[in-house]
Amino acid sequence: NIPGILHAKILTSTYSHARIKNIDTSHALASPGVRAVVTGINYPVLCGIIIRDMPPLAMNKVRYYGEPVAMVVADSEKEAMSGVTKIKVEYEPLPVVNSIGEALKENPVLIHEDLDKYQIITDNIFPEPSTNISHRVKIRKGDMKKGWDESRVIIEGSFYLPQSDHMAMETRNSRAKVFKDNTVKISSATQAPYTVKEMLSQDFGLDTGKINVEVPLVGGAFGGKAAVHLETLSYIASKATGGREVKIVNTREEDFMTSPCGIGFEAKIKLGASSDGKIKAAEIIYMLDGGAYADICPRMAKAAAVDCTGPYNIENLICDSLSVYTNHPFVTSLRGFAHTSYTFCIERMMDKLADKLNID
């Protein structure tokens, strides 16, 4: 803590999917010690490293339980927390997409109705409008009919791995100060200081040369602190208070429910092999639960596709890998960038294949 520093706390959504009908911040603004209250209306921008689909504070509707809806900046953390409790939000609940299966069914509830209008930052990313698919990667190789014809044994398997959390010892945190010449100083427990510079510049039209990012200690990360999240909120909080230095720190609960987590993963795999164990054909579908916003999930879907068979050279292959929106927390990298998820599935299939063939 620095003498005179302000503290920010966020009000989070109590719904997984709902329209925001009204936000009353008047009582919070009148609360002792409160310097500013910020909502999505104050900063109507969309952020994203691949697809610009995520507002820093929810606008129009919320898309996951725990999504930041408003932020209170006050003289002390206690006063900021008290101010948060005085914000009143009126919601209109919407149907919840609570699984990949619900997201991919015919005529699904759409999490992003304007998917076709979002700006795409990275080349070769193809969101599918009127669906909950933010990206799809297809691999096609060899002659599938030949592969299945040569297979004496065919097995199938389905796998489900839920979203998980990084549980770093130090929760996510960020400190920001905006100077009069628009220089920005960010001090953050981040793995990716250059990504912080890039994203703040892109999202708010800042000169990268005027953004200074300091990383004193990371406090554990494992991929979870590569995403830019609280850094954006701390910047907004400093702007809202005329450039005062502002600190925002997640509670453990906020780290679990508000900040990005590890992907959920579902797989359907079909393998064909000769009687001596030579794999002749594979048909694979990987579905990544990317949560409410794309972040880097489309890139992880690509990573899963290009290495979809693990270490095994299979001549005849079909693989589809999908990055899917759900009403879950959005995701970021977690120990292996999707490789650990599909490797588990492939290796379990090898166990099933060996068992079927009665070989090692």
Side-chain angles (χ1 to χ4, degrees), residues 303-315:
V306 297
D307 291 333
C308 60
T309 63
Y312 306 104
N313 180 18
I314 303 175
E315 293 181 2

Side-chain angles (χ1 to χ4, degrees), residues 3-318:
I5 196 168
L6 300 180
H7 296 261
K9 296 300 291 184
I10 52 176
L11 174 72
T12 58
S13 170
T14 53
Y15 289 87
S16 295
H17 200 197
R19 298 199 188 282
I20 300 173
K21 298 187 73 175
N22 185 56
I23 303 177
D24 182 357
T25 62
S26 58
H27 296 290
L29 280 166
S31 186
V34 170
R35 301 285 180 161
V37 180
V38 188
T39 67
I41 294 173
N42 303 120
Y43 286 90
V45 300
L46 292 176
C47 307
I49 195 166
I50 292 176
I51 302 173
R52 298 189 72 171
D53 60 357
M54 182 170 67
L57 295 164
M59 296 188 296
N60 304 320
K61 72 173 187 173
V62 292
R63 294 180 171 90
Y64 70 96
Y65 181 96
E67 180 171 2
V69 173
M71 180 168 53
V72 174
V73 187
D75 292 331
S76 69
E77 189 172 19
K78 182 179 179 180
E79 288 168 325
M81 292 172 69
S82 177
V84 164
T85 65
K86 295 172 182 175
I87 300 173
K88 304 300 179 186
V89 184
E90 184 182 354
Y91 294 103
E92 177 190 331
L94 296 170
V96 176
V97 179
N98 205 30
S99 69
I100 290 174
E102 291 175 6
L104 295 179
K105 70 181 184 181
E106 190 175 354
N107 298 318
V109 172
L110 295 180
I111 296 170
H112 292 273
E113 297 89 343
D114 296 329
L115 187 55
D116 58 332
K117 296 181 175 65
Y118 292 146
Q119 181 183 359
I120 310 300
I121 303 299
T122 306
D123 290 340
N124 299 316
I125 298 294
F126 306 102
E128 300 181 11
S130 301
T131 75
N132 290 311
I133 299 171
S134 60
H135 186 48
R136 184 195 302 260
V137 183
K138 293 184 177 183
I139 304 293
R140 302 292 186 266
K141 176 184 171 186
D143 184 338
M144 295 306 297
K145 184 179 185 309
K146 178 175 179 289
W148 296 127
D149 288 345
E150 293 177 353
S151 299
R152 296 295 170 262
V153 170
I154 295 175
I155 61 165
E156 298 185 57
S158 297
F159 304 90
Y160 165 69
L161 302 169
Q163 286 188 340
S164 54
D165 196 85
H166 301 75
M167 192 64 180
M169 185 68 75
E170 181 180 30
T171 61
R172 296 168 178 88
N173 60 83
S174 181
R175 203 168 67 220
K177 180 174 176 59
V178 180
F179 295 87
K180 290 182 179 179
D181 65 352
N182 286 325
T183 297
V184 180
K185 180 185 176 183
I186 300 282
S187 180
S188 170
T190 176
Q191 290 174 257
Y194 292 100
T195 305
V196 173
K197 285 171 68 81
E198 177 189 350
M199 295 301 292
L200 286 178
S201 172
Q202 169 188 294
D203 296 337
F204 299 100
L206 304 174
D207 182 348
T208 54
K210 287 192 171 186
I211 304 171
N212 301 309
V213 182
E214 177 189 27
V215 184
L217 293 168
V218 176
F222 322 113
K225 291 176 182 172
V228 180
H229 193 220
L230 294 191
E231 294 83 4
T232 301
L233 293 177
S234 64
Y235 166 76
I236 288 172
S238 181
K239 286 283 287 183
T241 53
R244 292 282 298 275
E245 190 158 13
V246 181
K247 176 181 180 179
I248 183 168
V249 179
N250 272 355
T251 62
R252 179 61 65 189
E253 183 179 16
E254 287 167 344
D255 233 31
F256 277 135
M257 73 178 190
T258 298
S259 290
C261 60
I263 58 167
F265 195 90
E266 292 189 27
K268 294 180 180 179
I269 303 174
K270 180 180 176 182
L271 294 180
S274 59
S275 55
D276 62 354
K278 173 71 173 178
I279 305 170
K280 295 294 185 179
E283 190 171 310
I284 299 169
I285 300 176
Y286 291 147
M287 296 162 284
L288 284 68
D289 182 349
Y293 299 103
D295 201 76
I296 59 168
C297 194
R299 197 172 292 165
M300 287 192 280
K302 181 179 179 181
V306 297
D307 291 333
C308 60
T309 63
Y312 306 104
N313 180 18
I314 303 175
E315 293 181 2
N316 306 299
L317 170 69
I318 288 177

